[in-house]
Amino acid sequence: MSRRELVVLGTSSAVPTRDRAHPGAVLLWDDEVVLLDPGEGTQRQLTLAGVSAASVTRICLTHLHGDHCLGLPGVLQRRLHDGTTAPVDLYYPAAGQAYVDRLRRSTATAVLPEVREHPVTVGGPEPEVVDRWGGLRLLAAPLDHRVPALGWRVQEDDGVRLLPERLAARGLAGPAVGRLVRDGSVTTPHGVVRLDEVSTPRPGQAFAFVMDTRVCDGVAALARGVDLLVTESTYLADEAELAERYAHLTADQAGRLASDAGARRLVLMHFSARHPGTDVFALEAGRHHGDVHAARDLDRVPLPPRR
Amino acid sequence: MSRRELVVLGTSSAVPTRDRAHPGAVLLWDDEVVLLDPGEGTQRQLTLAGVSAASVTRICLTHLHGDHCLGLPGVLQRRLHDGTTAPVDLYYPAAGQAYVDRLRRSTATAVLPEVREHPVTVGGPEPEVVDRWGGLRLLAAPLDHRVPALGWRVQEDDGVRLLPERLAARGLAGPAVGRLVRDGSVTTPHGVVRLDEVSTPRPGQAFAFVMDTRVCDGVAALARGVDLLVTESTYLADEAELAERYAHLTADQAGRLASDAGARRLVLMHFSARHPGTDVFALEAGRHHGDVHAARDLDRVPLPPRR
């Protein structure tokens, strides 16, 4: 069975609290383990979450503010410590290159962990493909924060759902089905069968991760039709002025944009320390959207079942 | 009443565990708040310990391995976040300057926190005075680790304990006593009174902090006669070969050196993740020393009462 779920590592914003570690999350997607915004303490939160640093395959940074990246050196060093010499792919806004350089060389390690750097520059708000592996694409779009910032989207390629009754009616079974899926058609004793005759389209699943930002077109484009949308939610509606000034979202805005974008499930994190509880965030966003989860540290939230 | 105690922030070695955060400790000494080896997560551990980052007056690093310094950027940024613009004094091995530079500039902060840098170079094993404030001296001596490392000692100046009966016998009271202490003598209607005639010497209290090292002369000199000695204790006696190879102490060695140095109280931390319990470390060091405390995260250990 495929494993597609979000593991929340930390849910604070800049200031951690007794109950909230600095931001961080892991997307488990089949064999991929994508670490998103490793804030300070991520190495230990991974331990608490039962996810090994060595298992991480890719790391995405939305931006280079400390609460979103200070856990990077520890995670990289821990991989070495655990005996992993496999390089990890690191994606980040190209404008943050100098900080990435310093973070990677910030301590007196004998061996520098191997990293494949992917500095990313994007144009307009429409998400652009940054990388591609297996049946997945990684896309990025600009956020509107106080420093250059990117939101991330993991997009599964569209596929098909085979219809067993139609396959049977055309006498198709076994290896012929594999060839049909691979080649788009297959020749049988009764003639050519096209894939679309025995299947219906199966849209790929999608996930988006949006941290520090104002409401902007990039967020809307990233969130469009995703199965799981994770957004920051630093403030509440009555703090909209603070949100605007510091370039953050309110829970109200997050719920509204998830609803407008047709995102199926919304996970909120990155909460201001001024609000010790999380229910207030869920309630506010829930006025606009029916499936809102205000995350606590170490929560696991699955992608909803395929449509 | 003077407040002189150690606040333990984290007790792991390189690998944190469910119960142990990365190393870190605070020495509360009257008005001074000295942060020692801020490992990753120190900012949050300070919150859990009830010590504000803004209250920190000085920071000492033993060396620039990640588990001893990756919490530095977060602590500095948190001070700004809490509205403190007061500079903090930072002491570290001069050989680690490049890492300090990168740590201080590792994230996209709008304002760089103010730091007074004190790169320290020492000669032989005898502790050298690095700084001096109030009635205290900060001293450093070399450790024997895989990278340049320093142990730290906070030393109170020797003073005197006034003897009330002798003061009364010489007719001394009020402001005259203040002058006597300040000047060493005072003239009364009955003649000159010297301070040593109406007091006994009061040796200054002392504290030493020794992290990653093999047994060496620097450790012995730092620990000599201190009231409270904190040492790493990564391994147990039956792992002496590992300790030697990776340049660490066993609990047995720590207990022995505390005893040989006449340290009054020994606190152990920096434990290998292979030993989930702490009692084994206390028991082993306790074979050599009568006042051993194997620390748990967030423990507070006072300096023993003055002799």
Side-chain angles (χ1 to χ4, degrees):
Chain A
M1 206 195 84
S2 68
R3 163 194 71 160
R4 296 187 180 176
E5 70 177 340
L6 178 79
V7 182
V8 178
L9 299 177
T11 60
S12 83
S13 49
V15 172
T17 70
R18 296 191 78 81
D19 300 318
R20 294 178 190 147
H22 271 124
V26 171
L27 174 66
L28 303 177
W29 188 298
D30 305 344
D31 294 332
E32 290 288 334
V33 180
V34 183
L35 176 60
L36 300 145
D37 276 8
E40 184 177 349
T42 289
Q43 182 183 167
R44 184 155 185 235
Q45 294 302 108
L46 283 172
T47 297
L48 297 177
V51 177
S52 94
S55 73
V56 171
T57 53
R58 293 160 204 281
I59 303 175
C60 297
L61 308 181
T62 61
H63 64 301
L64 275 296
H65 275 155
D67 50 336
H68 295 259
C69 66
L70 276 173
L72 180 65
V75 170
L76 295 179
Q77 286 165 27
R78 177 61 180 277
R79 290 168 59 81
L80 274 186
H81 200 281
D82 288 352
T84 308
T85 52
V88 69
D89 288 275
L90 176 66
Y91 307 86
Y92 51 91
Q97 184 68 54
Y99 303 111
V100 169
D101 289 346
R102 293 187 195 120
L103 285 166
R104 289 189 56 202
R105 294 163 186 81
S106 55
T107 69
T109 41
V111 180
L112 202 64
E114 278 229 43
V115 174
R116 280 191 294 251
E117 296 189 347
H118 302 263
V120 174
T121 311
V122 292
E126 205 52 37
E128 296 176 23
V129 176
V130 165
D131 205 350
R132 186 186 286 276
W133 63 89
L136 295 177
R137 280 160 289 153
L138 177 67
L139 300 100
L143 304 179
D144 176 14
H145 195 45
R146 308 193 304 275
V147 297
L150 296 172
W152 300 100
R153 178 172 173 136
V154 174
Q155 176 71 54
E156 184 184 28
D157 291 341
D158 292 337
V160 295
R161 185 177 283 112
L162 293 169
L163 300 169
E165 289 164 22
R166 294 204 196 165
L167 288 174
R170 309 297 287 264
L172 279 167
V177 176
R179 286 200 302 279
L180 172 65
V181 170
R182 193 188 62 212
D183 301 335
S185 68
V186 69
T187 306
T188 73
H190 314 291
V192 171
V193 178
R194 291 198 324 275
L195 183 56
D196 62 4
E197 296 174 83
V198 293
S199 69
T200 54
R202 192 195 68 177
Q205 287 192 296
F207 165 89
F209 186 77
V210 169
M211 287 290 116
D212 303 14
T213 189
R214 295 189 185 90
V215 174
C216 67
D217 293 344
V219 176
L222 284 163
R224 197 182 303 134
V226 293
D227 294 275
L228 187 63
L229 170 65
V230 183
T231 74
E232 68 130 316
S233 170
T234 311
Y235 295 110
L236 295 173
D238 60 9
E239 302 160 318
E241 207 178 311
L242 285 176
E244 175 64 24
R245 188 187 319 161
Y246 296 114
H248 282 296
L249 296 177
T250 67
D252 181 79
Q253 292 170 329
R256 211 180 280 267
L257 72 85
S259 172
D260 291 349
R264 294 177 66 203
R265 178 167 290 167
L266 172 63
V267 174
L268 303 176
M269 51 181 273
H270 198 278
F271 305 116
S272 166
R274 62 175 65 194
H275 304 294
T278 48
D279 290 353
V280 284
F281 295 95
L283 282 170
E284 192 171 291
R287 294 199 301 252
H288 307 291
H289 195 284
D291 187 351
V292 176
H293 182 86
R296 291 167 199 269
D297 288 18
L298 308 179
D299 274 357
R300 285 174 176 251
V301 186
L303 264 70
R306 279 187 190 281
R307 279 190 248 241
Chain B
M1 207 193 85
S2 69
R3 163 194 73 160
R4 297 187 180 175
E5 69 177 342
L6 178 79
V7 182
V8 178
L9 299 176
T11 59
S12 82
S13 50
V15 172
T17 69
R18 297 191 77 82
D19 300 318
R20 294 179 191 145
H22 272 126
V26 172
L27 175 66
L28 302 177
W29 188 297
D30 305 344
D31 294 332
E32 290 288 333
V33 179
V34 183
L35 176 59
L36 301 145
D37 277 8
E40 183 177 349
T42 289
Q43 183 183 166
R44 186 159 184 232
Q45 294 302 108
L46 283 171
T47 298
L48 297 177
V51 177
S52 93
S55 73
V56 171
T57 53
R58 294 161 204 278
I59 303 175
C60 297
L61 309 181
T62 60
H63 65 299
L64 274 296
H65 274 155
D67 49 337
H68 295 260
C69 66
L70 276 172
L72 179 66
V75 170
L76 295 179
Q77 286 165 29
R78 177 61 180 277
R79 289 167 59 83
L80 274 185
H81 200 280
D82 288 352
T84 309
T85 52
V88 69
D89 288 276
L90 176 67
Y91 308 86
Y92 51 91
Q97 184 68 54
Y99 302 111
V100 169
D101 289 347
R102 293 186 195 120
L103 284 166
R104 289 190 54 201
R105 294 163 183 84
S106 55
T107 69
T109 40
V111 180
L112 201 63
E114 278 230 44
V115 173
R116 282 191 292 251
E117 296 189 347
H118 303 262
V120 174
T121 311
V122 293
E126 206 51 36
E128 296 176 23
V129 176
V130 165
D131 206 351
R132 186 185 286 276
W133 65 87
L136 295 177
R137 280 160 290 153
L138 176 68
L139 300 100
L143 304 179
D144 176 13
H145 195 46
R146 308 193 304 275
V147 297
L150 296 172
W152 300 100
R153 177 171 175 138
V154 175
Q155 175 71 56
E156 184 185 28
D157 291 341
D158 293 335
V160 295
R161 186 176 285 114
L162 293 169
L163 300 169
E165 289 164 23
R166 294 206 195 161
L167 288 172
R170 309 298 288 265
L172 279 167
V177 176
R179 288 200 302 279
L180 172 64
V181 170
R182 192 188 63 211
D183 302 334
S185 66
V186 70
T187 305
T188 74
H190 314 291
V192 173
V193 179
R194 290 198 324 277
L195 183 56
D196 61 4
E197 297 174 83
V198 293
S199 69
T200 55
R202 191 196 67 176
Q205 287 193 296
F207 165 88
F209 186 77
V210 169
M211 287 290 116
D212 304 15
T213 189
R214 295 189 184 92
V215 174
C216 67
D217 293 344
V219 177
L222 285 162
R224 196 183 302 134
V226 295
D227 295 276
L228 186 63
L229 170 65
V230 182
T231 74
E232 68 131 317
S233 170
T234 311
Y235 295 110
L236 295 173
D238 60 8
E239 300 160 318
E241 206 177 312
L242 285 175
E244 174 63 24
R245 188 187 319 160
Y246 295 115
H248 282 297
L249 296 178
T250 66
D252 180 79
Q253 291 169 331
R256 209 181 281 267
L257 73 83
S259 173
D260 290 350
R264 295 177 66 204
R265 179 168 288 169
L266 173 62
V267 174
L268 303 176
M269 51 182 271
H270 197 279
F271 305 116
S272 166
R274 60 176 66 195
H275 303 293
T278 49
D279 290 351
V280 284
F281 294 96
L283 282 170
E284 192 171 292
R287 292 200 303 251
H288 307 290
H289 194 283
D291 188 352
V292 176
H293 182 86
R296 292 168 197 270
D297 288 18
L298 308 178
D299 275 355
R300 284 173 176 251
V301 186
L303 262 70
R306 276 187 191 282
R307 278 188 249 238

